[in-house]
């Protein structure tokens, strides 16, 4: 009975679909004529999930498997994907169940991405075209959580940006009062998602020798810096394969310029991004999507 009650509470809090907001444009392959893409699909349970293999001209330095955050599927990261494609990488990116172009209704828990991930890698590992390439798992936020869990698959390096360490840790860090209900939350997670619902990435990474880069902004107020980055840094302090880089002036999107992050925050806090004002001004997408070349150069050096 408690499991059902907890599920209903989360269904009230979280939308059944993650398809983006009413105002901000989602960029797609068509917006980047200098980048190629082949659509692919696979099943996760009963849901058909869809994504793209993005690429430019060979030779290629490797393959990046990119995991998206909450909100709108992988198209929210099209600028970032384009950057890595133009620097010589093939990028595979798909939408989780109940997100973007993928099927699914009733999404309510962040652990669901791990089932999607398992199904993706079954599809991915069967491809002849990937043989001989190094594979990098990369993700942001919800996708950072997924990227860290990719240690169970044959990846060569991991880049996680602003990822949370476990579903329960994220929930209780955002709503501290729920800590007193932690045993019930754990029971519900196990009931609906099995071991995927209980994953703590610190435990997984402690048993991994895969080179892993952790990046986060110290001002992050979506995935709390202390309960994610600093927690992992302490738990993994004896791991020579782990590299931690934080930025004192960055929020939740450390790969974006400071100006882009501040503009994004303005659009949200003013109500513009959510369509809460009558006269929506023209959005400056050049400013909104400006990447931080120094941060991305750090990532390129790490995955080289």
């Amino acid at each position: 009975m408690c499991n059902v009650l907890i599920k209903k509470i989360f269904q009230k809090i979280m939308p059944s679909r993650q398809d983006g907001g009413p105002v901000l444009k989602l960029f797609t392959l068509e917006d980047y004529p200098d980048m190629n893409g082949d659509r692919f699909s696979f099943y996760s349970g009963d849901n058909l999930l869809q994504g793209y293999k993005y690429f430019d001209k060979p030779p290629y330095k490797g393959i990046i498997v990119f995991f998206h955050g909450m909100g709108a599927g992988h198209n929210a990261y099209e600028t970032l994907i384009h950057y890595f494609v133009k620097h010589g990488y093939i990028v595979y990116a798909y939408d989780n169940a109940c997100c973007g172009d993928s099927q699914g209704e009733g999404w309510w828990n962040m652990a669901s991405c791990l089932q999607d991930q398992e199904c993706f890698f079954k599809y991915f590992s069967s491809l002849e075209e990937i043989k001989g390439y190094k594979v990098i798992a990369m993700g942001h936020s919800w996708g950072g959580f997924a990227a860290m869990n990719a240690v169970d698959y044959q990846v060569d390096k991991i880049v996680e940006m602003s990822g949370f360490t476990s579903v329960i840790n994220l929930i209780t860090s955002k709503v501290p009062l729920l800590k007193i209900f932690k045993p019930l939350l754990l029971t519900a997670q196990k009931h609906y998602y099995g071991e995927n619902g209980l994953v703590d990435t610190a435990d997984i990474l402690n048993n991994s020798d895969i080179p892993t880069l952790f990046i986060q902004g110290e001002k992050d107020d979506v995935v709390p810096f202390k309960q994610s980055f600093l927690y992992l840094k302490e738990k993994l302090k004896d791991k020579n394969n782990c590299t931690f880089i934080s930025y004192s002036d960055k929020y939740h999107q450390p790969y974006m310029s400071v100006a882009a992050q501040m503009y994004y925050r303005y659009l949200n806090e003013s109500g513009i991004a959510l369509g809460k004002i009558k006269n929506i001004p023209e959005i400056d997408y050049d400013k909104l999507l400006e990447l931080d070349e120094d941060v991305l150069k750090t990532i390129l050096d790490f995955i080289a």
Side-chain angles (χ1 to χ4, degrees), residues 10-11 13-21 26 47-50 68-75 95-109 116 142:
F10 278 104
Q11 285 175 323
I13 297 171
M14 298 181 181
S16 63
R17 292 281 313 178
Q18 298 275 309
D19 294 321
L26 286 177
N47 295 318
L48 182 67
L49 308 192
Q50 300 197 88
H68 68 79
M70 291 174 59
H74 84 274
N75 289 136
D95 295 335
N96 288 331
C98 306
C99 301
D101 289 335
S102 292
Q103 293 178 345
E105 294 288 344
W107 177 89
W108 70 279
N109 192 283
D116 298 341
W142 189 23

Side-chain angles (χ1 to χ4, degrees), residues 71-273:
H74 84 274
N75 289 136
Y77 299 88
E78 207 75 24
T79 303
L80 188 60
I81 289 169
H82 177 259
Y83 178 90
F84 286 108
V85 166
K86 299 309 289 184
H87 281 80
Y89 289 88
I90 299 169
V91 179
Y92 280 79
Y94 64 90
D95 295 335
N96 288 331
C98 306
C99 301
D101 289 335
S102 292
Q103 293 178 345
E105 294 288 344
W107 177 89
W108 70 279
N109 192 283
M110 277 130 342
S112 63
C113 70
L114 300 187
Q115 175 184 312
D116 298 341
Q117 181 185 63
E118 180 181 359
C119 295
F120 166 78
F121 275 110
K122 285 181 181 177
Y123 159 79
F124 181 72
S125 63
S126 71
L127 300 175
E128 284 292 325
E129 62 203 66
I130 71 169
K131 293 182 178 178
Y133 288 111
K134 64 182 175 184
V135 178
I136 299 102
M138 183 183 298
H140 170 250
S141 194
W142 189 23
F145 171 70
M148 287 185 278
N149 277 280
V151 298
D152 289 334
Y153 308 101
Q154 291 183 330
V155 301
D156 298 286
K157 293 184 179 182
I158 295 171
V159 177
E160 84 84 19
M161 297 172 280
S162 310
F164 54 86
T165 62
S166 78
V167 175
I168 298 300
N169 284 355
L170 178 63
I171 293 168
T172 55
S173 68
K174 300 293 284 185
V175 187
L177 182 62
L178 290 178
K179 288 181 180 179
I180 62 176
F181 299 106
K182 189 172 182 177
L184 293 177
L185 293 172
L186 289 168
T187 300
Q189 286 291 104
K190 180 68 178 292
H191 176 77
Y192 287 108
Y193 290 98
E195 293 304 314
N196 282 346
L198 304 180
V199 163
D200 187 319
T201 57
D203 296 331
I204 291 175
L205 293 168
N206 251 319
N207 295 312
S208 168
D209 292 322
I210 298 171
T212 303
L213 174 63
F214 304 83
I215 291 176
Q216 190 166 1
E218 295 177 17
K219 294 182 177 181
D220 195 334
D221 50 4
V222 177
V223 175
F225 180 74
K226 181 179 179 180
Q227 286 84 2
S228 52
F229 187 94
L230 293 184
Y231 170 81
L232 286 169
K233 190 173 183 179
E234 173 60 26
K235 289 285 187 178
L236 304 173
K237 61 185 177 182
D238 297 323
K239 300 289 290 181
N240 294 329
N241 60 305
C242 294
T243 302
F244 291 85
I245 301 176
S246 64
Y247 297 90
S248 62
D249 57 348
K250 294 296 184 73
Y251 289 87
H252 189 52
Q253 290 88 8
Y255 54 89
M256 306 301 293
S257 71
V258 172
Q261 288 181 91
M262 297 308 297
Y263 185 49
Y264 179 74
R265 292 177 69 83
Y266 158 72
L267 293 175
N268 278 279
E269 292 168 3
S270 66
I272 294 172

